[in-house]
Amino acid sequence: MSNPTVTPVPLPAPLRILQPDEYDRAVKAGVRAARSTGRATVQEITDAVLAELGLFSPPIEPDELDPECCTAQSLPYDPEECDVYTLGQWQQCGDEPGHDGDNHDNGEFGWSDGQPGTVPARRGTA
């Protein structure tokens, strides 16, 4: 049984988080264009190109998150507030699952639930 897709708080216009199928089509187009390159490399390139356009990949799926950490996520989308390596890369809260409050931190970024580009913790899940 798969986990349902998470729904992030929308980013300010004109920025947009792509739907999973839109993102997958963009990555597949990159793979076709760079046949000798692996999917992970093309995915990194696609993420960087999309971030420059103000478009971002969907959040990390729940089954791909670190189970030892809180499931809350945040998307660094403002190039003035993050470096080129984290722009557009979803961040998972590094606190323990079920921690108190709606504030999250992973050592590099801190955020609160409800901010644009965030996904709140899934309560009752590890």
Side-chain angles (χ1 to χ4, degrees):
M1 181 160 95
S2 66
N3 291 319
T5 301
V6 295
T7 304
V9 176
L11 298 173
L15 305 177
R16 185 166 73 90
I17 298 168
L18 296 173
Q19 294 298 314
D21 65 312
E22 294 174 309
Y23 179 69
D24 192 50
R25 288 195 319 264
V27 171
K28 285 179 181 175
V31 170
R32 285 192 304 273
R35 296 244 185 244
S36 64
T37 305
R39 181 177 175 90
T41 300
V42 172
Q43 197 165 351
E44 286 180 37
I45 294 167
T46 302
D47 287 346
V49 170
L50 291 173
E52 285 296 317
L53 299 173
L55 300 170
F56 301 94
S57 65
I60 303 166
E61 289 294 329
D63 60 345
E64 296 175 5
L65 293 169
D66 181 345
E68 300 296 317
C69 296
C70 172
T71 58
Q73 299 179 60
S74 179
L75 177 70
Y77 64 88
D78 186 345
E80 300 295 321
E81 296 182 11
C82 62
D83 61 35
V84 297
Y85 301 106
T86 53
L87 179 66
Q89 300 298 311
W90 285 94
Q91 306 292 309
Q92 182 179 359
C93 178
D95 295 333
E96 64 185 46
H99 67 84
D100 289 335
D102 295 331
N103 293 319
H104 306 282
D105 186 281
N106 72 353
E108 285 188 63
F109 297 96
W111 68 92
S112 298
D113 289 343
Q115 286 180 226
T118 61
V119 175
R122 294 168 49 108
R123 303 294 180 202
T125 60

